[in-house]
Amino acid sequence: SGTYWGYVHVRSEKVALTIPMEVVVARGGLHHERRELSFGTLTSRSSPATLPVTVTSYTEAPLVVSKIFVKLEKGVEGTELFLSDDSGMGRVLHPSIPRTIATIQCIPGGEGDFVGTVSITTNATGGRARRPLDVTIAGTAHFGTLRASFDAPPIRSSDGEKREPAVFLAGRSDERVLSLTHSFSSPVRLQHAEVSDPSFRVKELQEDIVVQPGWALENALSLVFAPNATATNYAAALLLVTNVTSTSVPLVVTEGRLRHLVHASKPDPVLFSLNPPAPAEGEAQELPDAGMGGPIDFERLGLGSSRVRHLQLVNPTPVSVSLRGCFLRGFGTAAVRVVLDDVRDQHGTPPVALHGSVVLGAGLEGGSALRPSAGAEQPSPGGSSSLGSAGGPVPLLLLEPGSSAFLRVEVNTSLSTVAERKEGSLELHTNYEKLVLPLSYETVQGNLSFVPAVVRVGLAFPGVVVRKLLTAQSFYTQPVTVAAITSPDPRFVIRSLNVSVPPGGRAKVGELIFDPTLGGDGVHRLTSGPPSLNARLTRRYEEWSESPVHMPLEAAELEALRNRRQQWALLKARAGTDLHQRLHVETDLAPASLTARATVAWPQIVASPVLACGAVHVGSSSTCSIDVRNRAASPVWVELLLPTEEQAEQAEAEQEEWVLKRGHRDSVQAIKVASAHHAAFGLPKRPADKWQDSWPLGRTPQEAPPKLHLIPPGGEARIGSIRFSPTRLGAVRSTVYLRSNLTWLDEVLIVGDGGGGRLAVLSEASAAKAERGDPIGTAEDDEGVLRVTLSSEELAGAESKLQALAAGGESTTPLPHVFVKSFTLTNRGNLNLRVDWMSVQPAGSPARQGSCSHGGFSVAECASSFSLAPGSLRRLDVVYEADFRSELAAAELEVHSSTGTVTFPLEARLRQHMLPRCLSALRTYERSRPLLTTRSLLTAVCLVLVTYCAARIVHLRLKLQEGRGKP
């Protein structure tokens, strides 16, 4: 076994190569790359030191580690050697491949040397591999730390503490003296010191530099720095080797200058990172450069506006830089503020300590100083800042290596009255430099407004997005560019067009998109259906054309509708339906704003949540349809669903409460006026139904699938043909549902009015109001009996008139014992009424057309036909011819109309004490009627004879006159 070296010579037409080779020949079995595992010198007992164990198997087949153990053979009491948790058996060793199989940890119990052994056993069965592999472990423990520093603290340590570098300014030669101290219990001898950077040179290194315990060697060595012309910002290290330990002192060469970046908007907390890898011992490391920003130019801005620029100060050096003062030059009375927004280290976290925040107030002539907020005094115009503490000046802001300070520079032109250009500078004083940043702006007169100032986007709900164009009008004297329009509310999305508006002109600058589902307040649940039905319904409608299967209304859908109502009530309670939002407009001159208003509506595809079927005659029917409208940007399918009888009753129990909460005017009116009557509404007869004219709601055959309607974007359609067949008078209602992929489930309140004409007779008071043009009374005031009541005065007048007629007096029309009473007919119904004919007959007797009188009662126009519109009036005269035989006379008036037959009792009442007198006068009148008749005839004959004789005399006289005139 051993190691052998040789060469391989390769020759070609153009070149000859010599390749060295190394061959290691080892005996079979398990081998370790070293004869001894050394921990070296351990300087701390607080944490265990670790050492990996790597072995190689030189066998033909893989081996498996079966046993590993560690044993301490010699060492100070308390020293521990043990395997870490990741060390264990069962690891496979492949031939000729090194593998780490264990990690040994050591905790020294005291100072001194220690020796141990690690033993490794495999599953080999023969040869040298069968023997365990024993490897020696050795080390030394000396507890303490070695510290090195140049001239003064902070001190450089070798135990993992924070290392403060020795700083050398670029372009300036320097020489530093190194001091050494340690805390070991034995003397420490400095054996070697080296810096690989040619700019550094160790001037003196004594041959025997020994530092005794508890002593400090102040002039251990001198380090000379001679800068070159190119390298100005880099890091190096001084390597120190002793008989106990080794350490390195970081060296930094830097200009100490800050870098600045100017941003139009606030940048991320960290835009620069100083995180170079640690340099190797004695090697130099070039540091990154943050770059230089330009001047602070606010460009053009409108009068009375303000603008902000964000100034990022970056410390790219490995040393701390303190900001001593901040001054504004050349702006006069212009209002300029500088505020410290944030300070972050290279990892993006705020520093542990901050010496003050920066606030620069209104600019003063000649500049104004930076003011610390933590009780610090104002720095002097020279740039220094003193807090008046005994410890000396304290910087306003201390930037650690790699840290960034974010300053907000704001100019406000509210004090300016004329358009002008201003130029000046912002000075930042540090402990290394004076940073001068040019600052300028130009003011422009005018403003930017929007037409209209309040944008009303209208109604929207989940699935329906509303868009509005935004128009701006410029009153500037120069073109203004609208760069962006933003909204704090995510439901208002603005698509800016980044257009320029000419002076005094108008232009479309953006589009406002309102999507109520982007607010994260649960509005999207207003149109979400039950999860259990989503997949089934989606698959069903995709396969509708192939196999249309009816899916009736399910309980889960109604439950989802109830949940939607609760969500809507919560949304209304927190005023989440009416939205007002102020939009922020960014331009290249001045910021502007406008107001947007939107309303989150109850999701519905129906044109109205109430379907009015109108008034229909009881016993007849009519049809009505539901108008739907697709306001979405994609097609919508709609299906009419009819509830079962149980579902309709359950919906009725919740309908009134929900309608009142929602507040829809037509729905509230329908609930108050109409009563529930589901049997009055249904679907027309299906082709398979031969014996039924309509299907009541809730009794639709399952085998008859409804029609599926597909409505294009922005389209309208008329859904269903619902039959209204009233069976009673008055307003009735029911509920149907529309299932769609937009709103999932819409409920529609169907209202109809069962109507017809209703003939009534007004009371005398109502009739008097009608004559005056006043509103007539209610139906409770109508007459139920057509009553003719004769007073004593009327009967006495009839008696005297009858006696006068019997004595030969002049006859009157009507006769004294015939009384006429006028009544007023009206139509109390809601539809036209047609009266066909009337009849008068005894009470309880069948009516006969043409019978117009009975029992002294008669109606003159009983055979005539006429119509009465709702609320119209018509006079009806009832004639009663009294026979004075009884104080009460009765009959019956039967009216046959288009709404049926109405019967009115006829009644006449006379005063009993006047009956004998009136009856006697009537009989006397009747007995005198023949004599009166004879006298009348004789009188007529005499009149005729007298008339004839007079005519003959006239005729003869004319004849005589004619004869005398002849010759």
Side-chain angles (χ1 to χ4, degrees):
S1 62
T3 303
Y4 302 91
W5 293 270
Y7 300 92
V8 176
H9 299 277
V10 179
R11 292 183 178 180
S12 66
E13 296 178 355
K14 295 183 179 181
V15 68
L17 298 178
T18 301
I19 304 173
M21 295 187 64
E22 179 183 0
V23 179
V24 178
V25 180
R27 295 180 180 180
L30 202 61
H31 294 266
H32 188 268
E33 59 183 0
R34 298 178 183 176
R35 294 183 179 181
E36 182 181 87
L37 291 173
S38 177
F39 278 95
T41 302
L42 303 181
T43 60
S44 175
R45 69 174 75 189
S46 60
S47 59
T50 60
L51 198 63
V53 179
T54 302
V55 297
T56 306
S57 171
Y58 293 99
T59 58
E60 296 180 356
L63 299 180
V64 178
V65 179
S66 60
K67 185 178 181 181
I68 306 175
F69 69 91
V70 179
K71 179 181 179 182
L72 179 66
E73 298 179 352
K74 177 185 176 182
V76 181
E77 183 179 359
T79 302
E80 300 180 12
L81 286 175
F82 55 92
L83 297 172
S84 63
D85 294 338
D86 60 347
S87 302
M89 286 70 72
R91 304 199 176 185
V92 179
L93 302 177
H94 294 278
S96 303
I97 300 177
R99 182 173 185 185
T100 300
I101 62 171
T103 301
I104 302 174
Q105 297 185 356
C106 176
I107 301 179
E111 293 187 343
D113 299 332
F114 59 89
V115 178
T117 304
V118 57
S119 180
I120 305 169
T121 306
T122 66
N123 64 341
T125 59
R128 293 177 57 87
R130 182 179 57 182
R131 303 174 185 177
L133 175 64
D134 295 328
V135 182
T136 302
I137 303 172
T140 302
H142 290 285
F143 302 140
T145 57
L146 176 65
R147 295 182 174 89
S149 62
F150 284 100
D151 302 332
I155 296 175
R156 174 78 179 102
S157 66
S158 63
D159 59 353
E161 297 178 2
K162 182 179 180 181
R163 300 182 175 187
E164 294 291 341
V167 180
F168 296 86
L169 291 179
R172 182 188 303 174
S173 300
D174 199 357
E175 182 178 349
R176 303 285 181 88
V177 178
L178 182 71
S179 300
L180 291 177
T181 184
H182 68 88
S183 60
F184 293 100
S185 59
S186 59
V188 174
R189 178 178 288 104
L190 181 60
Q191 298 175 341
H192 180 70
E194 178 186 1
V195 181
S196 61
D197 182 22
S199 298
F200 291 91
R201 178 176 58 87
V202 178
K203 185 177 182 182
E204 295 182 6
L205 181 60
Q206 302 176 12
E207 295 182 359
D208 191 11
I209 302 177
V210 179
V211 184
Q212 299 296 331
W215 290 75
L217 184 60
E218 295 183 354
N219 296 317
L221 59 85
S222 295
L223 185 65
V224 179
F225 171 65
N228 56 45
T230 57
T232 59
N233 195 37
Y234 64 95
L238 171 62
L239 176 62
L240 301 176
V241 181
T242 69
N243 62 330
V244 177
T245 184
S246 63
T247 187
S248 62
V249 180
L251 308 174
V252 171
V253 178
T254 179
E255 294 178 319
R257 299 179 61 185
L258 297 178
R259 303 292 187 263
H260 75 279
L261 300 170
V262 180
H263 306 275
S265 58
K266 187 174 182 180
D268 295 333
V270 176
L271 295 181
F272 171 78
S273 177
L274 180 68
N275 191 21
E281 298 292 345
E283 295 183 358
Q285 175 70 40
E286 189 72 19
L287 297 176
D289 193 343
M292 293 296 294
I296 304 177
D297 186 5
F298 290 97
E299 301 176 345
R300 298 179 305 162
L301 68 159
L303 289 175
S305 63
S306 62
R307 183 166 296 172
V308 173
R309 290 288 184 262
H310 297 272
L311 176 63
Q312 180 182 4
L313 298 178
V314 182
N315 181 11
T317 70
V319 296
S320 299
V321 177
S322 60
L323 182 62
R324 304 279 183 181
C326 178
F327 302 93
L328 188 65
R329 309 290 187 186
F331 280 94
T333 58
V336 176
R337 295 178 67 245
V338 180
V339 179
L340 176 62
D341 276 344
D342 200 2
V343 177
R344 297 297 179 101
D345 62 13
Q346 57 178 325
H347 303 294
T349 57
V352 177
L354 186 62
H355 292 283
S357 67
V358 181
V359 178
L360 179 63
L364 303 176
E365 186 67 34
S368 64
L370 196 69
R371 301 173 183 173
S373 64
E377 296 179 359
Q378 181 174 326
S380 62
S384 64
S385 171
S386 175
L387 299 181
S389 61
V394 176
L396 297 175
L397 179 64
L398 186 64
L399 283 179
E400 302 290 343
S403 298
S404 295
F406 297 89
L407 304 179
R408 186 173 74 251
V409 184
E410 180 180 359
V411 60
N412 192 326
T413 62
S414 58
L415 299 179
S416 300
T417 57
V418 295
E420 59 182 347
R421 178 173 179 82
K422 298 290 292 183
E423 295 182 352
S425 64
L426 179 66
E427 296 183 5
L428 302 174
H429 295 188
T430 71
N431 54 337
Y432 292 108
E433 64 171 335
K434 180 175 71 173
L435 181 61
V436 180
L437 304 177
L439 190 150
S440 63
Y441 67 88
E442 180 183 357
T443 55
V444 179
Q445 290 183 337
N447 65 347
L448 184 71
S449 63
F450 284 83
V451 182
V454 179
V455 180
R456 304 178 186 273
V457 297
L459 303 178
F461 56 82
V464 174
V465 177
V466 185
R467 302 172 182 267
K468 287 287 184 179
L469 288 176
L470 303 179
T471 303
Q473 183 173 8
S474 172
F475 294 95
Y476 286 106
T477 57
Q478 300 182 22
V480 55
T481 300
V482 179
I485 305 176
T486 59
S487 168
D489 193 332
R491 291 170 290 189
F492 293 89
V493 180
I494 298 92
R495 185 173 62 89
S496 301
L497 302 180
N498 194 19
V499 298
S500 179
V501 184
R506 293 186 180 185
K508 305 292 184 183
V509 296
E511 182 182 26
L512 175 61
I513 305 171
F514 177 66
D515 188 350
T517 60
L518 301 179
D521 53 357
V523 177
H524 65 280
R525 291 195 292 269
L526 292 177
T527 55
S528 60
S532 59
L533 289 177
N534 282 338
R536 284 194 294 141
L537 285 173
T538 301
R539 184 171 58 254
R540 169 179 176 251
Y541 291 117
E542 289 176 353
E543 301 172 353
W544 181 274
S545 58
E546 300 178 2
S547 56
V549 179
H550 177 56
M551 285 185 63
L553 184 65
E554 298 192 9
E557 295 178 271
L558 296 177
E559 182 63 28
L561 182 60
R562 296 188 193 97
N563 295 336
R564 184 199 297 182
R565 291 173 176 174
Q566 296 176 1
Q567 183 68 23
W568 178 259
L570 294 176
L571 195 65
K572 292 276 287 185
R574 61 173 182 262
T577 56
D578 294 326
L579 306 179
H580 300 72
Q581 187 57 56
R582 194 171 188 84
L583 307 181
H584 305 286
V585 183
E586 298 179 8
T587 72
D588 60 342
L589 295 182
S593 64
L594 72 154
T595 302
R597 297 187 61 179
T599 301
V600 180
W602 172 261
Q604 66 179 27
I605 61 172
V606 294
S608 173
V610 179
L611 174 62
C613 292
V616 178
H617 281 283
V618 175
S620 60
S621 63
S622 67
T623 59
C624 50
S625 301
I626 303 174
D627 293 329
V628 297
R629 180 176 52 187
N630 180 14
R631 299 175 57 191
S634 57
V636 172
W637 50 257
V638 184
E639 176 187 6
L640 177 63
L641 297 176
L642 304 178
T644 63
E645 187 174 355
E646 180 181 358
Q647 291 172 341
E649 293 176 356
Q650 186 177 5
E652 173 61 29
E654 306 168 350
Q655 190 86 19
E656 183 173 356
E657 180 182 1
W658 159 243
V659 167
L660 294 177
K661 282 184 178 181
R662 183 180 177 186
H664 188 267
R665 183 181 58 185
D666 294 342
S667 301
V668 172
Q669 183 67 20
I671 286 291
K672 291 182 178 180
V673 174
S675 60
H677 187 49
H678 308 296
F681 301 91
L683 292 179
K685 184 179 66 174
R686 306 298 178 95
D689 308 326
K690 299 180 180 179
W691 308 105
Q692 202 162 352
D693 292 335
S694 66
W695 285 99
L697 294 188
R699 305 194 181 277
T700 303
Q702 302 298 326
E703 63 273 7
K707 183 179 180 181
L708 187 70
H709 300 264
L710 188 65
I711 306 174
E716 298 180 355
R718 183 157 288 181
I719 305 297
S721 181
I722 302 174
R723 175 169 294 183
F724 175 45
S725 304
T727 59
R728 65 189 184 192
L729 294 175
V732 293
R733 57 181 166 85
S734 185
T735 305
V736 297
Y737 299 90
L738 292 177
R739 181 191 286 155
S740 70
N741 60 338
L742 178 61
T743 61
W744 186 262
L745 200 66
D746 275 50
E747 56 182 345
V748 181
L749 189 64
I750 309 178
V751 181
D753 201 352
R758 188 172 68 83
L759 189 65
V761 179
L762 295 181
S763 63
E764 292 184 1
S766 297
K769 292 180 180 179
E771 291 180 0
R772 295 193 301 267
D774 298 336
I776 61 177
T778 61
E780 297 177 356
D781 299 330
D782 294 343
E783 295 284 358
V785 178
L786 304 186
R787 184 176 290 107
V788 180
T789 303
L790 301 179
S791 63
S792 299
E793 291 76 9
E794 291 177 313
L795 293 177
E799 177 190 7
S800 60
K801 290 179 180 181
L802 288 174
Q803 291 175 352
L805 288 177
E810 185 178 355
S811 179
T812 61
T813 304
L815 294 175
H817 64 289
V818 177
F819 303 91
V820 179
K821 181 66 178 292
S822 297
F823 296 92
T824 303
L825 299 180
T826 186
N827 183 2
R828 289 284 188 182
N830 54 3
L831 296 176
N832 288 340
L833 170 70
R834 186 187 70 257
V835 174
D836 296 326
W837 54 278
M838 294 179 284
S839 64
V840 180
Q841 65 275 339
S845 299
R848 290 183 300 105
Q849 187 172 359
S851 175
C852 296
S853 62
H854 176 77
F857 294 96
S858 63
V859 177
E861 53 183 7
C862 68
S864 60
S865 175
F866 56 89
S867 296
L868 280 177
S872 62
L873 306 176
R874 184 180 179 87
R875 179 177 174 180
L876 177 67
D877 292 335
V878 177
V879 179
Y880 174 62
E881 184 177 353
D883 58 1
F884 303 114
R885 298 180 183 276
S886 174
E887 62 177 339
L888 177 64
E892 193 174 72
L893 175 65
E894 194 169 281
V895 182
H896 297 263
S897 67
S898 58
T899 60
T901 302
V902 182
T903 301
F904 296 98
L906 297 174
E907 184 178 290
R909 289 186 177 275
L910 292 78
R911 300 293 181 181
Q912 186 176 8
H913 67 280
M914 294 295 296
L915 291 180
R917 294 167 52 186
C918 292
L919 179 60
S920 175
L922 179 61
R923 289 178 176 175
T924 302
Y925 166 71
E926 291 177 347
R927 287 195 299 267
S928 64
R929 286 182 65 184
L931 179 59
L932 292 175
T933 302
T934 304
R935 289 179 180 175
S936 299
L937 290 176
L938 291 175
T939 302
V941 171
C942 293
L943 289 175
V944 171
L945 292 175
V946 169
T947 303
Y948 177 77
C949 293
R952 292 298 298 172
I953 293 173
V954 171
H955 178 70
L956 292 175
R957 184 177 294 177
L958 292 175
K959 286 284 189 179
L960 182 60
Q961 291 177 354
E962 290 178 359
R964 287 178 181 178
K966 290 182 180 181

